[in-house]
Amino acid sequence: MKRTAQSKLPRFSSPLAPPPSSTPALVERPAWQALVDHHRNIGTRHLREFFADDPQRGERLQVDAAGLYFDYSKNRVTDDTLALLVDLAEHCGLRERRDAMFRGESVNATEKRAALHTALRAPADASIVVDGVNVVPEVHAVLERMANFAERVRSGEWRGHTGKVIRNVINIGIGGSDLGPVMACEALRHYGKSGLHLGFVSNLDPTDVVEATRGLDAAETLFIVCSKSFRTLDTLTNAHAARAWSLAQLGDERAIASHFVAVSTNTEAVAAFGIDPAHMFALWDWVGGRYSMDSAIGLITMIAVGPEHFRAMLAGFRAMDMHFHSAPLARNMPVLMGLLAIWNNNFLGAQTLAVLPYNQDLKRFPAYLQQLTMESNGKHVTASSQAVSTPTSPIVWGDTGTNGQHSFFQLLHQGTRLVACDFIGFSHSQNPLGDQHDLLMANLFAQSEALAFGKTAQALMAEGVDETQVAQRVCRGNRPTNTLLADRLTPHTLGALVALYEHSVFTQGVIWNIDSFDQWGVELGKRLAQRIATELADTGHAPLTHDSSTNALMRRYEQHRKESS
Ligand code: F6P
């Protein structure tokens, strides 16, 4: 093993990580070491050189699938880099792990369950067996029930308790039970039913539910309580608040039946809340929260856009699934995207990924990807409980173009940190207005060009820029970006786009050998919050036994509450 090569790596040495184990780590593997050596050879080469050396590069380093065109030529890679990354994927068993996921095996090892979101978009005649049961007929039965209910709400057949038509649909959920639906409803608002108001309540902050219901007529308002577990404090608290708000206006317990439906795996808890299980839409433990927007969790999306468009979205997911399942790794869009993310993160040291949709309807897409990526891959141990030997998930953030250009792009161009970027754009606007869409897309193309090629001192001087200003104006370029281009933002395109990121995240998780489907890290804070909530509720509580900072904060909070009560 070549130890010297490793010292060149931006090696991971987090003081927060558990102690390393003696089992050979990812960074010790020959396929990884080959990339380390290769990185040493090409590390400083500039995208300007790559493009100058190969005039066809922009046409070669792209792949088309499921209606998406993925240009990855503006990454700091050569054909050798790509071959070595694919080799790494082979060595890490990506093909086998992918097939195991599609077959419904327990790829979520720590929770001992399948991660079978791909079954949510499988055709009715497919067979995917989990614990001896073909889950596909169940999936389609739920889709049918959803479609039936959605049509009844949309047509006005489903009435409120007083006989009024439903004009407001409010989703109450958090994390995966919120971010997917809110993102999809926004992304597909062009396809939405006019006159139907959609609302989303997620935050435990009472302001969220109060503002979402302010001014609404409860007799025209339907709540969808979305919680896979039906145990999430935030969601249940908001659902109780919504229930109280409805009862205050409608004055009759029986009204709940027409104004509350649930999406969950937990029939008992749904019934205990007071929602008739006949008004519950099921999902299964093999659907992870952040992978659930195409399950019954998407009920509000289906009500908004109608069953046909929802099915078109599922077809988009499916098209990308099929591509991921069968395209050769070297021509496989999610695989390439995932491997390039590994290269940018672990070899070039880009700790963050900026997601930049040049589309107003995708404004919630970066937030959606934050959960998908960081809850999946923000892990510090491998699936076999050993400390990881490299950084794992990048930090995902972003905003729509052109808004981002006028806020944080300065740092992308001239800051001291390398940020990988995903640009997302469409050839057609859903709202054509003169040449405005061309202007928007000109900005997308210009930004990725500027990030790649920058501006040299020589070029600035040739333009006559004052010598004293040259250093300020130089843009070094060589910033890695992907560009995704599609014809327009349709339900099908949205499905394909989400599935692309799902599988890219999976690919990265396989390379790091982490469980991308659990989320144990969120539990500690939840437990502590429960304890603190009990202490805050008990005014004469025993002396606080937290650390001195938490104790002092709690005392100050209690003091403020006493003073103003
Ligand atoms: O706290 C994290 C989490 O478990 C997410 O993974 C999930 O999407 C969210 O909470 C909501 O969970 P549920 O749908 O069970 O309310």
Side-chain angles (χ1 to χ4, degrees):
M1 190 65 53
K2 279 189 253 160
R3 279 273 166 206
T4 46
Q6 266 196 40
S7 60
K8 298 276 179 194
L9 249 188
R11 233 194 118 166
F12 184 46
S13 61
S14 166
L16 299 175
S21 115
S22 53
T23 318
L26 173 64
V27 295
E28 312 272 348
R29 298 212 187 162
W32 189 274
Q33 283 297 314
L35 278 157
V36 172
D37 291 342
H38 173 72
H39 174 253
R40 201 173 325 108
N41 293 333
I42 72 151
T44 55
R45 285 193 64 199
H46 202 286
L47 280 165
R48 286 185 210 120
E49 292 175 55
F50 293 142
F51 276 84
D53 290 352
D54 175 8
Q56 301 305 313
R57 182 179 171 94
E59 271 130 57
R60 270 190 332 103
L61 299 190
Q62 53 78 21
V63 58
D64 257 302
L68 301 180
Y69 175 84
F70 177 58
D71 172 3
Y72 56 98
S73 62
K74 294 193 186 86
N75 281 280
R76 283 157 55 176
V77 292
T78 63
D79 290 350
D80 286 344
T81 323
L82 294 166
L84 289 168
L85 285 167
V86 169
D87 204 33
L88 176 69
E90 296 278 13
H91 277 86
C92 293
L94 176 61
R95 228 191 273 263
E96 295 76 14
R97 295 281 295 279
R98 173 196 65 190
D99 295 350
M101 177 178 74
F102 274 91
R103 278 197 302 270
E105 288 177 21
S106 280
V107 290
N108 179 355
T110 70
E111 295 181 322
K112 299 189 177 50
R113 55 175 76 143
L116 207 40
H117 35 286
T118 49
L120 298 170
R121 46 263 191 167
D125 59 357
S127 169
I128 304 170
V129 178
V130 179
D131 297 331
V133 177
N134 178 10
V135 299
V136 178
E138 291 177 41
V139 167
H140 282 266
V142 172
L143 275 174
E144 275 309 308
R145 281 194 63 221
M146 288 167 65
N148 184 279
F149 179 71
E151 287 296 17
R152 289 180 68 197
V153 174
R154 287 167 63 82
S155 67
E157 185 193 327
W158 179 281
R159 300 272 164 145
H161 183 61
T162 62
K164 282 189 168 179
V165 165
I166 297 296
R167 299 195 194 284
N168 315 302
V169 182
I170 313 248
N171 191 81
I172 302 179
I174 197 162
S177 299
D178 167 69
L179 289 163
V182 77
M183 181 277 287
C185 287
E186 193 71 30
L188 301 179
R189 66 179 161 162
H190 180 75
Y191 300 85
K193 185 174 164 51
S194 65
L196 188 66
H197 166 74
L198 305 177
F200 294 87
V201 175
S202 55
N203 197 333
L204 190 53
D205 181 345
T207 297
D208 204 9
V209 66
V210 168
E211 290 297 343
T213 50
R214 192 186 293 285
L216 299 186
D217 180 354
E220 300 179 338
T221 305
L222 173 75
F223 291 96
I224 304 176
V225 185
C226 258
S227 175
K228 180 180 162 183
S229 59
F230 228 79
R231 278 197 292 262
T232 305
L233 175 77
D234 322 54
T235 299
L236 292 188
T237 308
N238 280 323
H240 279 288
R243 193 174 191 278
W245 175 84
S246 301
L247 288 178
Q249 284 193 31
L250 299 171
D252 186 347
E253 278 284 338
R254 287 171 304 174
I256 299 305
S258 342
H259 293 275
F260 281 78
V261 298
V263 180
S264 189
T265 55
N266 190 345
T267 316
E268 257 173 45
V270 167
F273 178 85
I275 297 176
D276 183 348
H279 296 164
M280 173 183 136
F281 297 84
L283 71 158
W284 305 270
D285 69 356
W286 44 260
V287 185
R290 51 195 177 273
Y291 296 86
S292 68
M293 60 167 274
D294 47 340
S295 72
I297 295 288
L299 183 60
I300 190 169
T301 316
M302 194 190 263
I303 293 172
V305 303
E308 227 173 274
H309 288 311
F310 194 86
R311 290 210 163 88
M313 182 181 80
L314 294 182
F317 271 100
R318 173 76 177 169
M320 187 55 77
D321 289 347
M322 289 297 87
H323 168 78
F324 178 53
H325 187 256
S326 3
L329 299 189
R331 297 293 303 154
N332 192 310
M333 194 184 291
V335 171
L336 287 167
M337 191 186 225
L339 292 175
L340 288 164
I342 295 277
W343 175 251
N344 289 334
N345 177 353
N346 294 142
F347 292 88
L348 301 189
Q351 297 179 355
T352 80
L353 170 70
V355 178
L356 309 165
Y358 276 63
N359 185 298
Q360 187 60 23
D361 294 343
L362 283 179
K363 74 168 187 277
R364 296 303 305 267
F365 195 57
Y368 173 77
L369 286 187
Q370 283 180 326
Q371 189 199 11
L372 178 66
T373 310
M374 298 202 277
E375 201 173 73
S376 295
N377 284 345
K379 308 287 164 67
H380 68 158
V381 291
T382 65
S384 43
S385 304
Q386 294 160 11
V388 293
S389 54
T390 64
T392 53
S393 176
I395 294 156
V396 175
W397 57 289
D399 196 1
T400 51
T402 54
N403 296 13
Q405 287 177 212
H406 295 274
S407 91
F408 54 79
F409 270 49
Q410 165 62 32
L411 180 147
L412 302 184
H413 288 288
Q414 288 189 315
T416 51
R417 295 173 196 283
L418 187 70
V419 178
C421 301
D422 284 355
F423 286 92
I424 303 171
F426 299 88
S427 299
H428 293 95
S429 170
Q430 300 290 28
N431 298 290
L433 200 61
D435 63 357
Q436 203 163 326
H437 187 70
D438 288 341
L439 286 177
L440 172 74
M441 291 303 289
N443 272 275
L444 183 161
F445 299 134
Q447 289 298 326
S448 73
E449 189 175 8
L451 286 165
F453 302 103
K455 188 100 182 178
T456 61
Q458 293 92 314
L460 286 162
M461 285 193 288
E463 282 174 12
V465 170
D466 189 296
E467 219 175 290
T468 58
Q469 289 213 342
V470 166
Q472 310 298 331
R473 293 187 183 220
V474 163
C475 287
R476 291 211 187 107
N478 217 15
R479 312 299 215 235
T481 66
N482 293 316
T483 301
L484 281 159
L485 189 62
D487 186 44
R488 66 176 76 230
L489 181 53
T490 61
H492 187 282
T493 312
L494 181 69
L497 188 63
V498 173
L500 167 64
Y501 278 94
E502 285 178 350
H503 299 319
S504 164
V505 164
F506 175 78
T507 298
Q508 294 167 63
V510 168
I511 302 297
W512 293 315
N513 187 27
I514 56 181
D515 186 335
S516 298
F517 301 109
D518 62 13
Q519 58 283 319
W520 298 105
V522 298
E523 294 304 322
L524 174 61
K526 282 188 196 170
R527 296 242 163 97
L528 282 173
Q530 268 164 9
R531 174 180 156 199
I532 292 175
T534 313
E535 288 166 345
L536 291 177
D538 173 13
T539 41
H541 58 66
L544 295 171
T545 53
H546 300 271
D547 60 276
S548 59
S549 159
T550 309
N551 287 345
L553 286 164
M554 288 175 67
R555 280 194 213 103
R556 180 59 67 102
Y557 174 80
E558 287 176 332
Q559 189 188 327
H560 282 162
R561 302 276 295 175
K562 263 188 222 141
E563 281 165 6
S564 58
S565 62

